[in-house]
Amino acid sequence: MHPTDRLRPAVAHALWHLVLAGASLAMAFPMLWSLLTSFKGPQDVFSPSPLPWPATLDNYAAVLSSWPVGMLVGNTFIMSAGVAAGQLVIAVLAGFALVVLAPRMRPAVLSACTIALAVPPQAIIIPQFLLTTRLGWQNSELGLIVPQLGTSALAVLLLVEHVAAVPAAQIEAAALQGARPIETLWHVVLPAIRPAILAVGILVFITTWNEYLWPLLIAPRSHDATVQIGLAQFQGEGGTDYGALMAASVLTSLPIVVVYIIASRRIIDSFIKAGLRP
Amino acid sequence: MNPSSIVAAKPNGSAVNGAELELSGLRRQFGGVAALDRVDLRIKPESLTVVVGPSGCGKSTLLRVLAGLDRPTEGRVMSDGVDVTLSPLGARDLAMVFQDYALFPHMTVAGNISFGLRLERRHDRRNGPSREFIDREVSRVAQLLNLESLLRRRPAQLSGGQRQRVALARAIVRQPRVLLLDEPMSALDVGLRATARTEILRIHRELRSTLVLVTHDQHEALTMATDLVVMDAGRVLQAGPPEDVYRRPANEFVARFVGSPAMNLRPTDAGSVGWRPTDGRLYPRGGEGDLVLTGVVERCEYTGSGQEVVCRDAHGTFTVVQQQGEEWVRPGDDVSVGVRQSALHRFDLFGDRIDG
Amino acid sequence: MKPLKLVGTLGALSLVLTAVSCSSTPSALSPANPVTITFSSYTYGVQGAAGTGTQKLLDAFAAAHPEVKVVPQSIPTADVLTKAKTDTAAGNPPDVVQIGYSKLAEAFQTLPVQSLEQIAGNEWKDHVSGINQALVNTGKKDGRVAALPFTVSIPTLFYNADLFRKAGLDPNRPPTSIDEVRTDAAAITASGHKGAYFGVVDSGKSDYLTQSVIDSAGGSTVGTDGSVTVDSPEAVRGLSSVQSLTRDGLQPAVGLDDATASFSSGDLGMFVVSTAVAGSLQKAAAGKFDLRSAAFPSFGAGKAAPTFSGAGLIVLSQDQAKQKAAWEFVKFLTSAEGYSIVTKNIGYLPLRADLADDPKYLKDYFASNRLLLPPLGQLAEVSPYRNFSGQNPNQAVVILQDDAVAPIVLRGADPQKTLSAVAGRIRELSGK
Amino acid sequence: MTQKAGWRPYLAPLILALAVWVYGPAVFTAVLSVMKWNLTTPPSGLVGLDNYASLFRHPEFARAAGQTILSALALLPFATIIPLVLAVMLWQRPGRASVVYRALLFVPVVVAPVAVATAWKFLLNPLQGLMNRILEVFGIPPVNWLGDPGTALLVLVAITAAKVVAFNLVLYTATLSGIDRALVSAAELEGATRWEISRFIVGPHVARTTVVLALLSVVLAGQWTFTSVSVLTQGGPDGVTDSVYYRIYALGFQFFDTGAASAAGVLVLLAFAVLATAWSVVRRSRRASH
């Protein structure tokens, strides 16, 4: 597409929109169709018409009345927030140590983090599971949260660059003013990397919200389960009620999508700043 | 209390005065490179010691070792006779103004200034400064440095000069016995530098702390210092009152580095001989003095109080300053320059001064 | 510490924990001091009839027995054993488990399953006297009954009477043999709909329908001596005839879930599947089509011999008070009242023969709901569910379903060859 | 600020988390892989390499490994060229439209894999699903997308591809943001076409990113297909959608063959170790040749 874009910029522009809109539609289509289907009555569930007409809220009513949405969302929220908070604490402390307190350790520790990232979770899940259950953490928040802190490696890799970007002089100035390391971290480093912390936190939150394997093993009971497990268990013996399933899907995905749309700029920026231009 | 006074009673009532610092056998190695190489230096109490040298000479490292931000590979730092080489940061009763000020961007000006005092209070609720004391000290220092109207702003909303004043205020509010300044003027416009210099001199006068300032600007060094330290390649080449350094440079490097325009140097059989451009006298033809050179005027630079004349002879160029009222030469003129014997500086083959 | 030792230590630790919980003094059950037991169930908490039916059972029990508090836990069908095992490994086994018969043998081998006969003591004889004896005997572990039948069904032929009429068939004369199924399916297919579907391939990977087909064809998956006989000529013949339906376009080559959706939407003529879904099918058919049922068809000369499927109840608690409470719960679930609730609300069969005629329980129900009558009539002649022997019968079932039944029935794999290969694998696995 | 001691409490949580939940379990997996254990009854003693031998004696593991590699290769273009093209297009015309598209294109990363999987299951329903209805319009006979061994793996790769494209799009966006727009303006003044700008300015800038992303997708792709496999096909039909990751799960938590599952885990770790070593050797030799 070379001379065309100078000869006919309007055509090029239209083409640009066409490709990107097409790609966006293709990527978002399954969720879009789920959304539409969730408003269809049982007769129309499989109808190829995109418009849910006559539209009904019965599916939502059915889900809300017979599926413990509140409990599942609550459980998942506690898990995701717990993991995000835990990973942030670990990563911020480690990032501070690696940049400010013990920079000599940085290459070794970051390598250890990179290797940990590459370890497939399924390969180590049996010992993780055994340890968690021996600790008596099955079906508990602790069991859902603490083992997932092992994946802090990504948060560390993302945040350490941001900590390193805080001007060294500010950290030294604080120390000269008599600040202890933890005070330097709290008063100088944390405020400086707050946007990155937010972005990484949201990323970890979303990833954890969508985690499937670990909650499946640790808390598959409906009262302790997360939304992913709840969704997977939706298919009973008597066939699947797709309308209700889609409604459940929408109900549990929507909060995350909204959070993402609000924070997408931040998340992308954090990748950019983290130098995660690999 | 006189609000314009910098010196206020510390909470414990002790009066402030500067500490004496002594560095002995200091080495600081980065990899295979020595940024400081066997430095011995005494910094007098309540002096305004200016460390000057080209970039990379080790002056910033020296300051950082003094501050405790860097640990020497070898050697000791003594403060009032106490070895503080390994004592923790924040326990040395010193403050520092960083080159780019290192203000905390998310804190207001007041927050920046009071940061150290607030930490003190947090660390020791019983004997630390009271909230009222902190407020009082902040407003006192703010008034002193003309920052009162800016206390609620954040650093991003300030001009360069204002930022520097905030950095100074933050450094002096705790009345440190030693105040370290790392190139404090380098980020300022030329016009602001004079004001800033005055401010620093006033602070030094009133605070009576030992002030160590690092700069690469020899003019700044000469005008401000009570004691001047010239460094190159990790070593102290000469230390002493600025007049001494200017009048009796210890070696060729100091001779060239201190003074503007730089000293003219001519090789001789035994080493070299040099004279300051202000010590030469231009004659249109012929000349007098102990050293007479002839050459052609290459260019003239008008400085307001006179003009600097760059001449060329067979060995290269040399500079002479003509004062107002002399008969001014022009480019292309054949001239000769005469220098009095007493104004000549002689250096041996190693570049060291030969006193005569 | 040596790793081996570590495992041992951890094991010892869990034993200690168990011992601690054992030593707690048994106290009399009273409403003021209720005993809490956990109930791991795959019908609890699911969408549709099964979920609401199970909830009704729990409500009824709670009303009748305030001295026992039941905490139900919803587990997907496929994960019941996984969950019970991991919970046990964690030292925290559920007290009562609703476990599928296909997984019972493995549960007996690996879980601390308690003898119900022993816990019940002198209540035992009276309680089980009315229950289908063949099913009770299936739950024997080391000679004593450790599992009582709970939600049991047998495969049944559901059909869409409207499609029968449309295809020119008599809806009052449903097929009784596989050959008739073929003929009718051909007619329905010709009228523009899907013919028949045998739900032998389900995502839960259980083999009760496979067994039903093979047994009806005169074979068996496991011989009386425990040998693996999935490659017998009868087995091959049985699966071949189901395969031929697919091959000839009379049966959609899809999984059970998709077929269920198709039948529910009224596009599938005949649907051979567990009665467990009767409740859901009824709901789907209401106002849409005329849903009827017929007995499981025969394969060839002999009588139809469907295998029952579904779940029994086992008790894992080791604490005496909990055992007692668990027995109260199991007793209620397998009582006349419990079975009636299960039948009415979910569609499982009543396992006490007299309930269907008893005006106190299900007489009225069966008078108006004829859907479960054909399978009920067949209940007497069901062939028992058979478990593969060896350390890992569950894996054997998965291999049979995944590597033989699905490829043969859905994708036209050669029945003889495929079954022989799989039989070899299973023999190796079960050490026979 | 080099405070000699003092860093330990800051680094301890990370070290502890990695040691307890990643490295420790990895070692423990290796130990379990030479034992026979069903998770509930006491473990047997050492059985040497029996578990490894049994993995290789039956076709499942080799097939799963082959399919894992196959899906990783199939995902390569979705990890590199496609997100790169989209990212460059977004980068070429910054503005509100780009922001909206970028947000939409990231949706597959955000939405729960289980929700995506069920949505696809619904769309691909062989008897009534939308996809077959559309094919019907064009006179194409219905396809049992997830039930046919010929298409099932393809579908899973496609579902995963959406996520990979979305994720790598962000990373490419980050990379492209590093390009100085003044450079582009200068090139435009020189009369460079859009293609020439892409070729000579963007291309060299993203070369390294592309290599890393290709590698990353090889490592992560298998993990990303896991949820889809678990929800949609459980490894079937005929095992074509099985992957080493799902195999480990099935061996460990469906068949309770802890030894074999651990052995499979160890093999995966070893494969990664080999891959990592090869990668560092290649990198070193390339650096040396420069």
Side-chain angles (χ1 to χ4, degrees), chain C residues 145-388:
Chain C
V145 177
L148 274 182
F150 172 40
T151 45
V152 171
S153 62
I154 57 176
T156 292
L157 190 150
F158 293 96
Y159 64 100
N160 182 332
D162 293 344
L163 291 187
F164 266 60
R165 284 188 205 97
K166 198 175 165 203
L169 302 168
D170 180 0
N172 294 321
R173 291 190 52 222
T176 58
S177 69
I178 181 76
D179 294 330
E180 289 178 31
V181 169
R182 258 192 87 86
T183 323
D184 292 356
I188 294 168
T189 307
S191 73
H193 294 277
K194 311 242 163 13
Y197 185 83
F198 273 80
V200 283
V201 180
D202 73 321
S203 59
K205 306 195 177 181
S206 78
D207 63 342
Y208 73 95
L209 239 155
T210 307
Q211 289 199 22
S212 299
V213 168
I214 291 177
D215 285 20
S216 297
S220 169
T221 52
V222 183
T224 43
D225 57 347
S227 61
V228 177
T229 52
V230 294
D231 54 349
S232 67
E234 293 83 6
V236 173
R237 203 178 64 227
L239 284 174
S240 297
S241 43
V242 179
Q243 181 192 45
S244 72
L245 290 174
T246 319
R247 194 184 54 222
D248 301 338
L250 307 177
Q251 163 166 285
V254 300
L256 180 62
D257 289 352
D258 297 329
T260 309
S262 178
F263 188 74
S264 298
S265 68
D267 195 38
L268 177 62
M270 290 166 277
F271 190 30
V272 182
V273 70
S274 152
T275 49
V277 299
S280 299
L281 293 183
Q282 235 166 348
K283 206 178 138 209
K288 219 192 288 181
F289 63 87
D290 182 3
L291 173 68
R292 299 192 193 179
S293 67
F296 189 81
S298 64
F299 280 65
K303 262 187 141 181
T307 308
F308 62 85
S309 71
L313 295 167
I314 53 175
V315 171
L316 303 182
S317 21
Q318 284 156 348
D319 175 272
Q320 280 192 16
K322 285 192 185 236
Q323 283 184 352
K324 223 168 156 188
W327 169 246
E328 281 305 325
F329 185 51
V330 170
K331 204 166 76 182
F332 176 82
L333 295 184
T334 54
S335 67
E337 191 186 350
Y339 282 147
S340 302
I341 294 175
V342 167
T343 301
K344 269 194 251 181
N345 292 287
I346 310 180
Y348 289 106
L349 299 175
L351 300 177
R352 292 176 179 270
D354 46 354
L355 293 182
D357 300 323
D358 192 332
K360 242 173 84 190
Y361 294 106
L362 294 171
K363 190 164 196 278
D364 293 349
Y365 174 79
F366 278 108
S368 57
N369 288 279
R370 316 203 57 79
L371 215 50
L372 291 184
L373 281 177
L376 194 60
Q378 241 171 354
L379 191 57
E381 46 211 59
V382 293
S383 63
Y385 181 87
R386 288 185 181 86
N387 280 294
F388 292 108

Side-chain angles (χ1 to χ4, degrees), chain D residues 6-207:
Chain D
W7 54 266
R8 285 189 188 88
Y10 291 82
L11 223 41
L14 173 67
I15 306 276
L16 205 67
L18 289 182
V20 172
W21 298 110
V22 180
Y23 287 99
V27 173
F28 203 82
T29 296
V31 174
L32 287 177
S33 78
V34 292
M35 295 167 64
K36 203 100 199 136
W37 191 28
N38 70 1
L39 214 58
T40 41
T41 51
S44 76
L46 301 178
V47 295
L49 297 177
D50 279 10
N51 291 318
Y52 294 89
S54 86
L55 284 183
F56 288 112
R57 196 164 56 240
H58 301 305
E60 286 91 351
F61 185 74
R63 183 178 60 192
Q67 278 151 199
T68 309
I69 295 170
L70 191 70
S71 7
L73 291 179
L75 282 170
L76 268 187
F78 298 97
T80 52
I81 185 77
I82 292 170
L84 175 61
V85 167
L86 291 173
V88 168
M89 289 178 77
L90 289 170
W91 172 80
Q92 278 172 339
R93 294 179 196 265
R96 190 162 301 168
S98 287
V99 173
V100 172
Y101 285 137
R102 193 148 49 207
L104 282 173
L105 288 168
F106 196 55
V107 164
V109 174
V110 184
V111 175
V114 176
V116 173
T118 47
W120 278 110
K121 184 175 183 176
F122 174 67
L123 290 171
L124 297 175
N125 182 306
L127 300 177
Q128 300 156 291
L130 183 71
M131 195 62 88
N132 280 346
R133 294 266 178 117
I134 293 172
L135 290 187
E136 206 179 341
V137 173
F138 297 102
I140 302 170
V143 179
N144 188 0
W145 297 97
L146 289 164
D148 187 332
T151 52
L153 186 60
L154 202 72
V155 170
L156 284 175
V157 166
I159 294 173
T160 311
K163 184 166 171 159
V164 174
V165 167
F167 194 70
N168 288 1
L169 177 63
V170 178
L171 296 181
Y172 271 120
T173 304
T175 309
L176 291 175
S177 74
I179 296 178
D180 186 358
R181 290 212 177 253
L183 209 64
V184 179
S185 309
E188 276 168 349
L189 285 176
E190 298 284 324
T193 62
R194 192 158 286 182
W195 163 245
E196 284 163 345
I197 288 171
S198 305
R199 167 75 183 75
F200 295 109
I201 296 178
V202 178
H205 193 85
V206 298

Side-chain angles (χ1 to χ4, degrees), chain A residues 166-180 182-184 186-194, chain B residues 64 67 69 89-90 94-96 98 100 102-107 112-113 115-117 119 122-123 170-171 174:
Chain A
V166 177
Q170 280 182 25
I171 292 165
E172 294 173 345
L176 283 176
Q177 294 275 314
R180 295 163 184 162
I182 191 73
E183 290 168 332
T184 306
W186 184 257
H187 293 290
V188 177
V189 175
L190 269 188
I193 62 172
R194 205 162 38 196
Chain B
R64 292 176 60 81
L69 294 172
L89 281 177
L94 56 77
M96 180 162 166
F98 289 81
D100 50 8
L103 298 179
F104 307 126
H106 52 277
M107 293 183 202
N112 266 282
I113 297 175
F115 184 65
L117 288 171
L119 288 174
R122 195 185 294 268
H123 295 168
R170 183 177 68 182
R174 292 205 302 157

